[in-house]
Amino acid sequence: MGFLEINNVTKSYGAVKVLHDIDINVDEGEFLVLVGPSGCGKSTLLNIIAGLENLTSGEIAINDQTVNHVHPSNRNIAMVFQSYALYPNMTVAQNITFGLEMHNVPKSEREAALNDVAKLLQIEPLLNRKPGQLSGGQRQRVAMGRALVRNPDVFLFDEPLSNLDAKLRVDMRTEIKKLHQKLKKTIVYVTHDQIEAMTLSSRIAVMYNGYVQQLGTPSEVYNTPANVFVAKFIGSPAMNVIPATITIKAKHAFACFEDGSGKAIDLQLSQPASSFNNGQSVLLGIRPEAISDLGNEDRNVNISKPFETMVMVTEPSGADTFVTLNLAGHDVVSRLRGDVALPSGTLASFTVNMDKVVLFDPETENRLDI
Amino acid sequence: MSIASQDSAVKNNRTTMVLIYVTLLVFALFYLVPLFVMIANSLKPLSEITGGNMMALPKEWTIEPWLKAWSTAQIGVEPTGLRPYFINSIIMVVPAVIISSIIGALNGYVLTKWRFKGDTIIFGLMLFSCFIPFQIVLIPMAMVLGKLGLSGSVSGLILVHVVYGIGFSTLYYRNYYAAFPTELVRAAMIDGAGFFQIFWRIMLPVSGPITVVCVIWQFTNIWNDFLFGVSFGGQDQPMTAALNNLVQSSTGVKEYNVHFAGAILAALPTLLVYIVAGRYFVRGLMAGSVKG
């Protein structure tokens, strides 16, 4: 039994189904991130949990109580909105205590709660200001303060960092994580940013087209993506997914690519040959960091035979250099160390960490579980 | 070369500016002439006007015409002056403006933040009322007022103006609130605020600009209305109807100075409203129309 249960929730607008049988159980203290591209239904699901939208069928339960027909203010939840949604006519202090006031909490208790939260978020000097006089980061803190002061069962975050500039976003991300470690509250967090999802969550639900594509820990989602969509959505640069044919030679399975020139590249798979048919088509998923230039690979893993190919583009980014190479006619991105010297247009040899290779069925695009 | 040409550019600019200002000044004077005539003649004895010099300043300054227009002029059959009618107008305008603005604000709030099926159709129908000429509704309105027992009273006029005002006030507030972030309403809902609490605590405090627009608009329209006033006012006729009786009377000498004073008295409240709240007017209009 989860602390927050989302049981078979569907949502339709007329004939259009935007959520299909969503089934997620969140344990107490867990940090669940709903991630997906725009229009995947993640914000709708969050609004349904909050009670701001009605579900078409299914059940939402918090702390063992079905809350389908409970008003948002009585679900013991708090929400942080993308635009912060601070009341412009009230001071920071009034903003934070408004919810307590609406729940008829006596004034002395309200002030005590306000002081605790202000101290926790270090916004004491701002309490008498209006939201219009605050910077983006300060508004963000006030919005979190307004959520924290109610001491809710579940926190809901709706893309809270997407209105901040890049640097502040990283700082606030760390801050949210610290806060979660300190308070150990259940959080459901919506974002379209897969890095936020990976860094913050204890579990990720990757959503697309109203379906949960995969629900798992960040490492599960990253290393064993359920399908091609998840593989390409999580990770930056995205996982390379290229079609290949399986050949079985001497009791080993090889993924073979052939470019137009007739020069074939064979990569010996780590998976046992018995799980494949000779001539079977697959999609091969290779993370950029699974590719190394010859001589710099990790010796402790199962590496492929080196192959020589053309360097198409080199993009240094400081810590890493992204090198796009041509693998049998496909552009494949690799993440190499920062000081690698591989000018574009030259030939170089690379190896692949075969332990990290993921295989997909070309028909269903689901991962082959072998 | 370059310096010389810059010089002439500046000079050119100055000539244009002078031309523009002179033209504006001429037009301003032209538009102000009627007001000047009214004020100047309202401060003269009648003999100076009938003497033939309307454009001149008074030779003998007097406020007698103002006093007469206010308290002793013959309105219809009674020598009451405009005072009781002015009071009628105030008693009619103030509640009509307040009630129609509050209803408009509530309508705007519901139509934007508590959307329901068919809300745009309802809004469209309400907009229609902005385009219905007063004359069309005279007879049905008279029947309704008769059934309610409100005909010939100030309360009846208030009802008529409230009903007629809701179209415009709803339009203003709906467009203003359409630009108001819905997330704020949702945040307040989660905080536990109810329908009216959200309205009073969250929406109304930020509705200043559009309220100014709505009040100015409603005040001017209701104050200046003649047709409803004369049709449904009965014994409690508003200022506009009384002014008509004063100016159009066909018996006795035409006291132009008293008429001028009366006309200014009738226009004074709307002028005041514009002067006090006018600078918010344009700001509010922009906020309501452009963002919506």
Side-chain angles (χ1 to χ4, degrees):
Chain A
M1 284 301 254
F3 184 70
L4 165 67
E5 290 178 51
I6 304 165
N7 292 332
N8 288 313
V9 167
T10 58
K11 170 77 181 170
S12 310
Y13 293 106
V16 188
K17 220 170 179 188
V18 294
L19 289 178
H20 304 260
D21 296 320
I22 307 289
D23 222 349
I24 304 175
N25 279 349
V26 187
D27 291 332
E28 188 162 13
E30 203 176 353
F31 198 129
L32 175 76
V33 173
L34 305 174
V35 67
S38 309
C40 69
K42 57 191 190 297
S43 289
T44 308
L45 181 58
L46 195 74
N47 285 337
I48 288 174
I49 298 172
L52 296 170
E53 283 186 53
N54 290 320
L55 38 73
T56 308
S57 69
E59 183 202 25
I60 301 283
I62 297 173
N63 212 353
D64 288 334
Q65 283 194 320
T66 305
V67 292
N68 283 16
H69 300 290
V70 177
H71 188 269
S73 66
N74 298 327
R75 292 188 178 197
N76 208 10
I77 50 153
M79 190 153 170
V80 177
F81 292 87
Q82 183 176 358
S83 66
Y84 318 134
L86 300 179
Y87 313 124
N89 54 308
M90 301 183 198
T91 63
V92 167
Q94 288 167 333
N95 259 288
I96 292 176
T97 53
F98 184 73
L100 297 178
E101 194 190 330
M102 291 296 116
H103 283 87
N104 300 319
V105 174
K107 194 155 194 239
S108 55
E109 277 178 48
R110 287 201 315 249
E111 280 184 359
L114 170 69
N115 287 335
D116 288 349
V117 166
K119 206 170 189 180
L120 180 71
L121 294 170
Q122 298 162 355
I123 50 173
E124 287 140 312
L126 308 176
L127 291 181
N128 291 319
R129 296 212 205 151
K130 293 271 175 75
Q133 298 163 310
L134 305 178
S135 68
Q138 290 168 332
R139 282 179 211 187
Q140 172 70 60
R141 278 167 199 273
V142 176
M144 293 212 294
R146 192 169 63 183
L148 285 170
V149 78
R150 305 247 325 261
N151 195 21
D153 287 337
V154 180
F155 283 96
L156 306 173
F157 286 82
D158 189 4
E159 309 212 17
L161 303 181
S162 46
N163 281 1
L164 299 175
D165 62 60
K167 187 182 176 316
L168 202 52
R169 196 178 308 167
V170 176
D171 295 346
M172 289 306 294
R173 202 168 74 198
T174 315
E175 203 133 328
I176 290 177
K177 184 139 193 175
K178 272 190 203 156
L179 216 54
H180 177 244
Q181 284 168 355
K182 192 165 172 184
L183 302 173
K184 302 203 167 31
K185 285 284 181 180
T186 312
I187 296 180
V188 181
Y189 185 109
V190 162
T191 180
H192 60 263
D193 181 344
Q194 49 90 20
I195 297 182
E196 261 172 43
M198 292 291 290
T199 49
L200 286 172
S201 66
S202 47
R203 268 197 307 162
I204 299 181
V206 184
M207 294 182 67
Y208 182 58
N209 267 345
Y211 289 95
V212 172
Q213 304 286 333
Q214 187 170 7
L215 176 64
T217 63
S219 96
E220 278 167 14
V221 170
Y222 189 79
N223 292 317
T224 52
N227 54 37
V228 172
F229 172 80
V230 176
K232 288 192 167 177
F233 190 79
I234 299 288
S236 170
M239 181 186 264
N240 303 293
V241 178
I242 40 183
T245 315
I246 301 287
T247 354
I248 295 173
K249 282 183 273 183
K251 292 189 179 166
H252 291 296
F254 292 84
C256 305
F257 315 93
E258 202 163 322
D259 54 3
S261 63
K263 201 173 80 181
I265 296 173
D266 290 351
L267 299 176
Q268 186 185 334
L269 296 168
S270 306
Q271 288 85 348
S274 55
S275 19
F276 300 100
N277 302 320
N278 201 13
Q280 185 185 353
S281 304
V282 293
L283 292 171
L284 202 62
I286 308 171
R287 290 274 175 210
E289 62 272 19
I291 302 175
S292 308
D293 49 329
L294 186 60
N296 283 302
E297 50 279 284
D298 185 350
R299 294 284 165 198
N300 301 320
V301 298
N302 186 6
I303 55 171
S304 72
K305 206 169 66 183
F307 55 92
E308 190 175 58
T309 186
M310 179 75 84
V311 175
M312 313 292 285
V313 184
T314 302
E315 297 164 289
S317 77
D320 301 311
T321 298
F322 299 109
V323 173
T324 308
L325 42 108
N326 186 327
L327 187 63
H330 299 279
D331 278 358
V332 169
V333 180
S334 63
R335 182 203 291 265
L336 306 179
R337 61 184 200 288
D339 56 354
V340 76
L342 289 173
S344 56
T346 55
L347 282 172
S349 287
F350 297 92
T351 58
V352 175
N353 175 355
M354 296 310 288
D355 290 345
K356 290 281 184 187
V357 164
V358 189
L359 294 158
F360 300 100
D361 184 324
E363 294 291 316
T364 62
E365 298 208 333
N366 289 332
R367 187 169 54 86
L368 294 169
D369 199 9
I370 21 182
Chain B
M1 270 311 279
S2 70
I3 290 177
S5 67
Q6 217 174 27
D7 219 34
S8 75
V10 171
K11 215 183 277 171
N12 234 333
N13 211 351
R14 194 167 292 164
T15 327
T16 345
M17 289 306 280
V18 169
L19 260 174
I20 289 173
Y21 274 102
V22 168
T23 317
L24 287 176
L25 206 67
V26 168
F27 274 104
L29 286 175
F30 182 73
Y31 282 114
L32 282 172
V33 165
L35 184 63
F36 166 78
V37 170
M38 286 175 77
I39 294 174
N41 288 304
S42 70
L43 294 167
K44 288 174 190 173
L46 186 61
S47 58
E48 274 187 46
I49 303 176
T50 48
N53 203 346
M54 262 218 336
M55 299 302 288
L57 281 170
K59 287 193 200 90
E60 184 194 327
W61 295 81
T62 169
I63 56 160
E64 200 55 42
W66 285 79
L67 296 177
K68 192 167 181 194
W70 181 244
S71 53
T72 61
Q74 192 84 21
I75 309 289
V77 287
E78 304 283 337
T80 54
L82 291 168
R83 186 175 50 192
Y85 304 97
F86 190 89
I87 293 166
N88 279 348
S89 269
I90 296 279
I91 296 174
M92 169 187 77
V93 164
V94 173
V97 168
I98 292 174
I99 296 170
S100 65
S101 298
I102 288 177
I103 295 179
L106 274 171
N107 282 345
Y109 169 53
V110 171
L111 286 171
T112 52
K113 303 304 169 205
W114 298 83
R115 307 282 305 263
F116 51 92
K117 220 174 181 171
D119 54 357
T120 44
I121 295 170
I122 287 188
F123 178 55
L125 291 175
M126 294 186 88
L127 272 190
F128 262 153
S129 72
C130 301
F131 306 116
I132 298 173
F134 284 12
Q135 289 80 356
I136 292 179
V137 298
L138 277 183
I139 291 169
M141 193 67 92
M143 288 164 67
V144 170
L145 288 179
K147 287 220 169 91
L148 294 174
L150 292 173
S151 25
S153 69
V154 172
S155 328
L157 276 180
I158 292 174
L159 177 70
V160 172
H161 285 298
V162 165
V163 169
Y164 233 97
I166 287 174
F168 270 106
S169 58
T170 302
L171 167 70
Y172 287 139
Y173 279 99
R174 197 214 79 109
N175 285 356
Y176 188 76
Y177 289 152
F180 185 90
T182 304
E183 284 198 339
L184 278 174
V185 176
R186 298 187 146 191
M189 272 170 76
I190 291 179
D191 271 343
F195 179 87
F196 284 104
Q197 276 170 323
I198 295 175
F199 183 63
W200 286 113
R201 299 285 302 270
I202 314 289
M203 306 291 285
L204 269 194
V206 295
S207 306
I210 203 66
T211 303
V212 169
V213 171
C214 189
V215 165
I216 289 185
W217 177 267
Q218 299 288 12
F219 189 95
T220 347
N221 268 3
I222 298 172
W223 184 275
N224 287 340
D225 161 68
F226 175 71
L227 187 64
F228 285 156
V230 87
S231 311
F232 304 130
Q235 290 307 300
D236 301 327
Q237 299 223 317
M239 188 73 169
T240 43
L243 182 67
N244 180 58
N245 288 346
L246 172 70
V247 178
Q248 306 278 23
S249 69
S250 47
T251 52
V253 188
K254 288 250 182 200
E255 293 179 295
Y256 291 111
N257 50 356
V258 177
H259 297 177
F260 280 132
I264 296 172
L265 279 173
L268 224 48
T270 46
L271 268 179
L272 261 178
V273 168
Y274 267 103
I275 290 166
V276 171
R279 67 199 180 96
Y280 300 102
F281 187 65
V282 177
R283 222 184 289 165
L285 266 187
M286 299 302 285
S289 57
V290 177
K291 280 187 196 161

